[in-house]
Amino acid sequence: MIEGWRWYGELDRITLPEIAQTGAASIVTALHEIEYGAVWPREVIARRKAQIREAGFGWTVVESLPIHERIKRGEGDLSGLFASYRQSMANLAAEGIKVICYNFMPLLDWTRTDLTAPVRRGGTCLRFSVHKMAALELYMVERPGAEADYAEDVKVAAKAWFDAASDTERDGLVTAIMAGLPGAYPRYDAVGLKEALAPYRGLDREALRANYKRFLDEVIPAAEELGLSFGVHPDDPPRDLLGLPRIVSTADDIGWILSACDSRANGLTLCTGSLGANPVNDVPAIARRFAEKIPFAHLRNVTRDPDGSFEEAAHLQGDTDMPAVIDALLREEARRRSAGRLDADIVFRPDHGHELLGDAARRAHPGYPLIGRMRGLAELRGVIAGLQFRAPAA
């Protein structure tokens, strides 16, 4: 497996020389400064690749080549947006990029309600609290129909939090929810978020699936011709939010996506944290079931609460059996090698991480501290080494 590290380019407070000290071999990045829907120019991709190479890294995975919201909504004439997306794909392929990670979450990317929840032995982590999300929907955005989406005890807790929260705490909740949007993407306050939801009115699961199928039909044939592999990132969290459907949340969802466009280029970014936040998901089983379609992996762990809340755990703690997941990926790599494939190695990165020691002072992108992720990478590296050197089965 190839050790990767997510880097936000010039927007990142962590430098490439610092990343080199973690031992990671491959940078996972994107042109976050380019607005959604615009073509990624080849010369800009080439400059970024040269910068990464000069620092001693490879660059084979883009995360992400974002999908314009009009495509997700199926709104208007989309031919220009699809053409631009395919041109960006061609420019990436021309510079030797092999894997494109993307998601199909409407409006929001990964979503948390707390960016600095305390960790028992010190440090902080990302957290998603169901009652705070309910407070946002019920009392700040005032989404029609939100009452039906939450249990009574959650609504009681939401009202108590809202009544006790200061304006600063309420604003902080919205800021946390917006933090998952990378790069050139608008952020909203509560009023703006309410307005941003309006164009999605009436977008149900079936409609979003139809729009997703069209996206796959438009880009996967081109990916095949260009030698690219696509890996869809699961929904984070794997549940409907703000009345918007999430359609990449379970093993059945993944099965539908991979069969909707039957191609080796149509694959899965295995995110153990996103999938692990849904108690119905057996993440090691998902890794084994879809192993041949996994070009890229995010390895992290979460601890779930009974009400559906969860928080980021240390990489080898939490509710997902991480060694079992890694074992599935290593076995898939071995299968690929035995089949003579040149792309046998799976790039992975330590996803998210606790803010530890001096991380907080650096003020890196939420969820992406230096020391916390380095700890996670070291732990994952140890599991991989242990499994690689295990005694052969009798």
Side-chain angles (χ1 to χ4, degrees), residues 235-310:
D235 301 324
D236 187 8
R239 54 176 293 153
D240 293 356
L241 287 182
L242 296 166
L244 301 175
R246 295 289 183 100
I247 58 171
V248 195
S249 295
T250 66
D252 287 345
D253 290 339
I254 296 166
W256 178 87
I257 292 161
L258 300 184
S259 63
C261 187
D262 187 11
S263 166
R264 178 171 155 182
N266 182 24
L268 168 69
T269 293
L270 180 72
C271 181
T272 55
S274 298
L275 292 168
N278 189 333
V280 308
N281 289 330
D282 181 336
V283 182
I286 289 173
R288 291 188 292 268
R289 176 179 171 184
F290 300 111
E292 65 178 332
K293 289 293 194 76
I294 297 174
F296 177 44
H298 292 175
L299 301 182
R300 64 180 171 89
N301 223 320
V302 297
T303 299
R304 299 186 300 267
D305 296 339
D307 68 353
S309 301
F310 63 89

Side-chain angles (χ1 to χ4, degrees), residues 6-59:
R6 190 172 192 180
W7 182 58
Y8 286 91
E10 281 65 40
L11 303 175
D12 206 320
R13 294 177 182 267
I14 299 170
T15 67
L16 289 174
E18 288 173 322
I19 297 170
Q21 296 179 54
T22 71
S26 184
I27 292 296
V28 176
T29 191
L31 303 183
H32 295 292
E33 64 275 16
I34 296 179
E35 66 180 13
Y36 287 23
V39 173
W40 287 13
R42 181 174 176 181
E43 59 271 21
V44 179
I45 298 168
R47 284 199 300 270
R48 178 61 58 84
K49 180 181 177 181
Q51 180 185 15
I52 291 169
R53 185 173 59 246
E54 288 166 6
F57 298 95
W59 181 24

Side-chain angles (χ1 to χ4, degrees), residues 49-50 74 107 187 190 213 220 242 308-309 326 370 389:
K49 180 181 177 181
L107 189 60
R187 271 69 170 174
K213 175 67 163 62
I220 294 300
L242 296 166
S309 301
I326 293 173
L370 176 60
F389 293 102

Side-chain angles (χ1 to χ4, degrees), residues 324-352:
V325 171
I326 293 173
D327 181 68
L329 297 178
L330 289 173
R331 291 179 185 277
E332 172 58 18
E333 286 186 329
R335 187 196 67 79
R336 294 177 189 180
R337 291 192 190 96
S338 67
R341 283 179 53 175
L342 300 178
D343 60 345
D345 291 335
I346 296 170
V347 177
F348 78 95
R349 64 174 181 82
D351 193 17
H352 295 178

